[in-house]
Amino acid sequence: MIRVGVVGATGRMGAEVCRAVDDGSDLSLVAAISRSRAGERLEDVLGLPGCPVVASDRLDALVEASADVAVDFTGAEHAPQHIAWCIQQGIHVVVGTTGFPLDEAWGRQDAVGVLVAPNFAIGAVLMMRFAGEAAASMPDAEIIELHHAQKRDAPSGTALLTARAIAEARGVDGGDVPIHSIRLPGLVAHQEVLFGAQGQTLSIRHDTTDRSAFMPGVLLAIRNVGRRPGLTVGLDPLLEGA
Ligand code: NAD
């Protein structure tokens, strides 16, 4: 049984993760960190029947609950500190929060697994992989990423990772792949990668229509992060090994 604590447990993504972990027969939801609903039972806040976890606003609750893995869906200004704290405490950490730079120090230790992925939707991971493949033969590309109006970072972490995959396939720096960001109500998370060549275009598009799309990837990460000491970026390495 993997003991899981969720940081940002009552946010849009954190709440989905709590539900998915609570449903997993090999996973146990043991801690929930929430600044806005501290002291309340998850049974009441998220409607998880029989869940005994009470939300806390202290990361120490992860240690007190002997969490094996922490999952972070908070904000770019907090996630890096949470990762450093988890490494210090020996708690593996899966991070979905986007919009912060990676710290090489996370990969310079081999005691704790740190998995940072800007997109846990399997289709989005494939979209990034296919975009890399296409760029080897069609190097001229632009990225259009579209998200709900509350998303705070732009360009999205998915777009930046896609630009990196395209750049690697071309053998140059990623900075020159144009990224267009759209933020509108009614959207969830969408991305189109457009390739152009003489007399033809190729579009690779992924649409997330519901946040449940991210959960199989988050669960895959929770189940594998303990076997991957150091830093893993993106879900792709786990899919290759799956
Ligand atoms: P949200 O605003 O609904 O939820 C964030 C929650 O974190 C809020 O409840 C907030 O109070 C809480 N929080 C912030 N700082 C905290 C702290 N220090 N301690 C405890 N709780 C804290 O946002 P969201 O839509 O759930 O998105 C969260 C993050 O996940 C964003 O960075 C977003 O871009 C990213 N995201 C990633 C994926 C992915 O697949 N990797 C998918 C969707 C969203």
Side-chain angles (χ1 to χ4, degrees):
M1 190 69 80
I2 303 174
R3 299 173 67 81
V4 182
V6 178
V7 188
T10 55
R12 283 180 291 262
M13 285 296 292
E16 282 284 340
V17 174
C18 287
R19 290 191 189 97
V21 168
D22 195 52
D23 267 0
S25 54
D26 58 334
L27 306 175
S28 173
L29 182 63
V30 295
I33 314 301
S34 165
R35 291 184 308 184
S36 53
R37 309 298 294 264
E40 295 184 54
R41 291 159 56 91
L42 284 204
E43 180 165 21
D44 304 327
V45 182
L46 302 181
L48 293 180
C51 177
V53 176
V54 174
S56 169
D57 55 4
R58 297 162 39 252
L59 285 179
D60 284 339
L62 295 168
V63 176
E64 287 154 15
S66 305
D68 301 308
V69 176
V71 181
D72 185 289
F73 278 96
T74 57
E77 63 283 30
H78 302 288
Q81 291 156 246
H82 294 167
I83 294 169
W85 184 89
C86 284
I87 291 173
Q88 228 174 36
Q89 302 296 330
I91 299 173
H92 306 298
V93 59
V94 170
V95 184
T97 305
T98 56
F100 61 90
L102 298 173
D103 185 335
E104 284 177 14
W106 302 333
R108 280 201 299 268
Q109 52 78 37
D110 58 6
V112 170
V114 178
L115 189 144
V116 182
N119 203 317
F120 283 101
I122 307 294
V125 176
L126 293 175
M127 178 233 341
M128 288 186 260
R129 192 188 288 177
F130 297 157
E133 274 180 43
S137 306
M138 295 180 77
D140 290 314
E142 301 209 6
I143 298 170
I144 305 169
E145 57 97 343
L146 311 92
H147 283 84
H148 60 90
Q150 282 77 40
K151 184 170 176 64
R152 286 194 274 161
D153 53 319
S156 71
T158 305
L160 292 171
L161 199 56
T162 309
R164 204 171 89 183
I166 292 172
E168 277 170 11
R170 292 170 173 172
V172 292
D173 180 359
D176 64 345
V177 180
I179 302 175
H180 311 275
S181 300
I182 292 167
R183 299 287 175 266
L184 281 175
L187 295 168
V188 180
H190 316 257
Q191 180 167 290
E192 184 159 357
V193 189
L194 276 156
F195 296 88
Q198 171 118 29
Q200 60 184 318
T201 63
L202 168 69
S203 300
I204 303 175
R205 183 173 172 113
H206 178 255
D207 294 283
T208 309
T209 51
D210 188 279
R211 287 185 177 82
S212 58
F214 299 116
M215 294 309 119
V218 173
L219 297 185
L220 180 69
I222 291 171
R223 290 179 175 124
N224 285 281
V225 67
R227 289 183 218 137
R228 301 186 65 90
L231 176 65
T232 303
V233 180
L235 206 58
D236 215 23
L238 269 61
L239 293 181
E240 279 164 10

